[in-house]
Amino acid sequence: MKKYIVYIGILVTGLLLGWLLFGGSSNKKTEHNHSEIEETNQMWTCSMHPQIMQPEAGDCPICGMDLIPSESSADGLGTDQFKLTENAIALANIQTTIVGESNVEGNAIKLSGKIAENEKANAVQVSYFSGRIERLNVSFTGEKVSKGQLLATIYSPELYAAQQELITASTIKESQPALYKAVRNKLKLWKLSEKQINQIESTGKVKENFPVYATVSGTVTDKLIEQGDYIKQGQPLLKIANLNTVWANFDVYENQIELFKKGQEVSVSTNAYANKVFKGKVDFIDPILNNKTRTVTLRVVLNNKNDVFKPGMFVSANIDGVKNEVKGALSIPASAVLWTGERSVVYLKTNPDQPVFEMHEVKLGNQIGNEYEVLVGLFVSDEIVTNGTFTVDAAAQLKGKKSMMNKDGGKVMTGHEGHLGMENNASNKENDHTNMTERLEAPKAFQKQLKNVYDNYINLKDALVEDNTNKVSIDANILLDKLSQVDMKLVKDKTHNHWMSLAKEIKSSATAISKTTDLKEQRSHFKHLSSHLINSVQLFGVNEKVYVKFCPMANNNKGAHWLSKEEKVINPYFGEAMLTCGEVKQVIE
């Protein structure tokens, strides 16, 4: 009996030890497996091609760049919502605006305008005789002058001869008074005073240089000559503005004209003096409508003896006593609206604290200047995208969400589908190299115009190879000119919208390059220019073999692409420093 008790004790002890030794590890293994399962839920995408989604890290099947972890913060978003990174928003300069009611509130209307010089008080100081400016006493634009102040000293051969005529005529004035009077009158026409004429006559001496005095008091707004210049009779020398009074010019929309009349009281304010309100009256309403903006100018004259208002300053006006028949009208900037011919859409920022966006269809009313009246689809306090709208729409398309051209949403390409597309393209006997992007239909005339842009891109690239910053800037301007010549009417529907989005990005990058001569900054913008032009050539083609090259050391070792006409690698990101760094990543047939 004791023997069995010992056996049972050993068995229980063994089971207990086994549970202690292997049970915990089993739990750990379960936890580890659970962790692995969670890790497998991590998707990987390409920063250049966000439509690529793969379950594991690796290279992008389109451009070969290293894949990066996809954001997992999309959980909790609506079916049609998508999120952009702060970096993407900054790069695309995406801006939003809060939707508000129209600028008519109760019985007051608010207008925006700008301060301008009072043209009635402006004067142009001219020269009344030809000659050479020996001395100019006005040093800079903005200098104040007083009536009678010496502005310049001029040497005039004509005036020199006229003085000699006066001295000669004065000796025979008794016998020929008409001649004497005619000579004096000629000098008066040249704005010489009686005192100056009498001094010449009494002394019998001819003055070589004559002064020019200010005929009005005011501020010099434009200096039209420099010391040493030769001038003609009647030529403007200076523009002088009397800024004791100024004009405040406001734009009034076509459908608001009937609300205003001459003599209405106006309260004017400006950000320069946030707590002050200045009073004025409507002095003039332009009888001619501006066809471009569909507005007329409403003018208010403001007292400015204390130099409060500066020409060019933005101001706003509140006009009381206006009866408004339109209640609750909403208006949004025209830049916020995308349309397909049948639908008008905007992108709503659904979360004020997060860059989450969603497409909304809207029904528009009349266009008033640069704004549209919204009849249906938006409410006061909605936040909408007003700059970078095409970029946001492109992101929606890539993420398979509702977009301008796909109101029901689309399908995101997975990594498997991306590789499958590569294999299918690679098997195409007409191409020896992989065509990574589906080619859109584009007429040859459009491809030819795109090739002009591409050819100037190559010139810009070659200038970067040579480290020639001035030529880079010039070539960027030429590229912009060729880009403006691309006729967008040649492409329609999906092709048109893709090109509109890409053309905007190409223009932005090329403009940034043209405005700087800093080589490092030019190469930084060239990276973005190359990215968008690569997409353009992939989508539309230029009827020419194009090499897509990649340098892994550019862009702070993150890598950057560029386009070339030849297979040989000549690196524009480093020039002579590392001329042959890089490799051919793709050949676009």
Side-chain angles (χ1 to χ4, degrees):
M1 191 67 179
K2 290 181 180 180
K3 184 178 179 181
Y4 288 113
I5 292 173
V6 171
Y7 288 154
I8 292 171
I10 293 173
L11 181 60
V12 172
T13 303
L15 290 172
L16 180 62
L17 289 172
W19 181 83
L20 290 173
L21 290 172
F22 299 104
S25 62
S26 176
N27 288 339
K28 289 180 181 178
K29 185 175 181 180
T30 302
E31 290 175 2
H32 179 67
N33 289 338
H34 181 68
S35 175
E36 285 183 347
I37 291 170
E38 286 184 345
E39 287 179 4
T40 59
N41 290 333
Q42 172 66 61
M43 298 297 289
W44 297 75
T45 187
C46 174
S47 58
M48 293 290 293
H49 302 91
Q51 71 268 34
I52 297 299
M53 286 291 175
Q54 293 190 167
E56 57 186 18
D59 295 335
C60 174
I62 294 179
C63 64
M65 291 182 65
D66 290 338
L67 297 179
I68 61 175
S70 174
E71 284 193 18
S72 58
S73 58
D75 293 339
L77 297 183
T79 306
D80 300 316
Q81 296 177 348
F82 58 95
K83 187 176 182 181
L84 297 179
T85 64
E86 295 293 343
N87 188 42
I89 288 175
L91 286 173
N93 192 24
I94 294 169
Q95 298 174 12
T96 60
T97 298
I98 304 293
V99 177
E101 292 189 358
S102 67
N103 56 359
V104 177
E105 299 176 358
N107 288 328
I109 189 167
K110 186 174 182 179
L111 300 176
S112 297
K114 188 184 290 187
I115 295 295
E117 301 162 8
N118 185 342
E119 293 178 8
K120 293 181 181 179
N122 286 357
V124 178
Q125 187 77 42
V126 300
S127 172
Y128 294 99
F129 43 84
S130 60
R132 182 182 67 243
I133 297 177
E134 295 294 303
R135 181 176 179 81
L136 184 63
N137 293 78
V138 175
S139 304
F140 55 89
T141 300
E143 186 174 347
K144 290 189 175 182
V145 296
S146 302
K147 185 176 181 180
Q149 179 180 329
L150 178 64
L151 299 178
T153 304
I154 300 176
Y155 166 73
S156 173
E158 291 180 350
L159 196 54
Y160 189 86
Q163 292 178 78
Q164 291 178 324
E165 289 179 10
L166 175 65
I167 293 170
T168 302
S170 64
T171 61
I172 56 173
K173 62 181 178 180
E174 299 296 336
S175 59
Q176 298 190 34
L179 176 63
Y180 171 71
K181 186 177 180 180
V183 172
R184 285 183 67 94
N185 286 338
K186 182 166 69 171
L187 291 172
K188 288 180 181 179
L189 290 174
W190 283 340
K191 296 299 180 181
L192 267 66
S193 65
E194 287 281 354
K195 183 179 179 180
Q196 288 175 313
I197 295 172
N198 291 335
Q199 187 179 12
I200 295 168
E201 185 179 342
S202 61
T203 60
K205 293 181 180 180
V206 176
K207 288 186 176 183
E208 291 188 358
N209 300 323
F210 262 83
V212 176
Y213 297 104
T215 56
V216 295
S217 298
T219 302
V220 177
T221 57
D222 201 354
K223 192 171 70 164
L224 304 172
I225 40 84
E226 296 293 343
Q227 188 166 302
D229 287 351
Y230 282 86
I231 57 173
K232 297 179 181 179
Q233 183 178 359
Q235 180 176 335
L237 306 178
L238 303 167
K239 288 184 179 180
I240 300 175
N242 187 331
L243 299 179
N244 287 335
T245 59
V246 292
W247 287 349
N249 292 325
F250 301 95
D251 289 330
V252 175
Y253 293 125
E254 188 175 2
N255 64 346
Q256 297 175 329
I257 295 175
E258 65 177 354
L259 303 176
F260 303 98
K261 60 182 179 180
K262 191 174 179 179
Q264 276 178 311
E265 291 283 345
V266 179
S267 299
V268 178
S269 58
T270 173
N271 289 335
Y273 307 96
N275 298 321
K276 290 186 178 181
V277 176
F278 304 88
K279 296 293 183 180
K281 290 185 178 182
V282 176
D283 178 70
F284 173 77
I285 299 176
D286 198 331
I288 300 173
L289 183 76
N290 186 321
N291 284 326
K292 292 183 178 179
T293 61
R294 309 304 301 173
T295 61
V296 298
T297 299
L298 181 145
R299 180 189 302 157
V300 177
V301 178
L302 297 172
N303 188 311
N304 194 39
K305 289 184 179 180
N306 296 325
D307 289 331
V308 173
F309 298 105
K310 316 294 181 186
M313 182 184 288
F314 289 106
V315 289
S316 59
N318 285 313
I319 301 178
D320 297 324
V322 175
K323 293 183 179 180
N324 177 34
E325 301 298 332
V326 182
K327 300 295 182 181
L330 293 176
S331 61
I332 60 173
S335 60
V337 182
L338 301 175
W339 61 91
T340 65
E342 297 178 355
R343 299 183 302 128
S344 300
V345 303
V346 299
Y347 277 92
L348 195 68
K349 186 179 179 186
T350 58
N351 188 329
D353 301 319
Q354 295 291 330
V356 177
F357 301 92
E358 182 179 355
M359 188 203 79
H360 274 219
E361 290 192 29
V362 294
K363 184 178 180 181
L364 302 178
N366 296 324
Q367 182 175 6
I368 304 172
N370 292 321
E371 294 189 340
Y372 281 106
E373 183 184 4
V374 180
L375 304 178
V376 177
L378 288 177
F379 299 94
V380 175
S381 78
D382 282 345
E383 187 172 0
I384 60 171
V385 176
T386 52
N387 191 67
T389 319
F390 273 106
T391 304
V392 176
D393 184 74
Q397 293 184 42
L398 291 173
K399 293 176 182 290
K401 305 296 183 179
K402 281 186 178 180
S403 62
M404 175 174 63
M405 296 308 297
N406 191 350
K407 63 180 181 180
D408 298 320
K411 184 181 180 182
V412 180
M413 182 189 296
T414 65
H416 172 72
E417 291 167 330
H419 283 294
L420 184 61
M422 290 174 60
E423 292 167 2
N424 290 338
N425 284 328
S427 64
N428 189 338
K429 294 181 181 180
E430 294 180 1
N431 290 322
D432 294 327
H433 300 278
T434 304
N435 184 4
M436 302 294 186
T437 304
E438 181 184 359
R439 180 67 56 83
L440 296 176
E441 290 185 8
K444 289 185 178 180
F446 178 83
Q447 290 178 323
K448 185 176 180 180
Q449 293 173 358
L450 179 59
K451 186 177 182 299
N452 290 335
V453 177
Y454 165 70
D455 287 341
N456 281 280
Y457 165 90
I458 295 298
N459 294 337
L460 191 156
K461 182 262 298 181
D462 292 340
L464 283 174
V465 171
E466 299 166 0
D467 297 345
N468 189 338
T469 56
N470 289 328
K471 189 173 185 301
V472 170
S473 182
I474 292 171
D475 288 336
N477 278 312
I478 296 174
L479 188 151
L480 286 167
D481 181 60
K482 296 298 181 183
L483 183 65
S484 68
Q485 295 175 20
V486 177
D487 187 0
M488 290 181 287
K489 295 179 182 178
L490 293 173
V491 288
K492 297 179 180 179
D493 301 326
K494 181 180 179 182
T495 306
H496 177 272
N497 293 313
H498 276 292
W499 171 244
M500 284 284 288
S501 179
L502 289 167
K504 183 177 180 181
E505 300 298 339
I506 291 171
K507 181 179 179 180
S508 176
S509 300
T511 301
I513 294 173
S514 70
K515 291 183 177 179
T516 181
T517 54
D518 182 85
L519 186 59
K520 185 177 180 181
E521 191 174 349
Q522 286 177 336
R523 282 172 170 154
S524 176
H525 294 302
F526 178 75
K527 171 188 64 178
H528 300 295
L529 174 65
S530 299
S531 170
H532 301 304
L533 202 58
I534 288 170
N535 286 340
S536 300
V537 175
Q538 286 174 333
L539 286 171
F540 309 113
V542 290
N543 289 322
E544 181 176 304
K545 182 182 287 188
V546 179
Y547 294 88
V548 181
K549 298 177 181 178
F550 177 76
C551 173
M553 297 184 67
N555 190 24
N556 296 322
N557 293 320
K558 295 177 183 177
H561 293 76
W562 77 94
L563 291 171
S564 179
K565 291 193 173 188
E566 67 276 342
E567 191 171 1
K568 182 181 178 182
V569 173
I570 304 177
N571 193 316
Y573 292 106
F574 294 101
E576 290 293 335
M578 288 190 291
L579 200 58
T580 59
C581 177
E583 62 179 325
V584 176
K585 278 289 185 181
Q586 182 189 354
V587 179
I588 304 173
E589 295 289 348

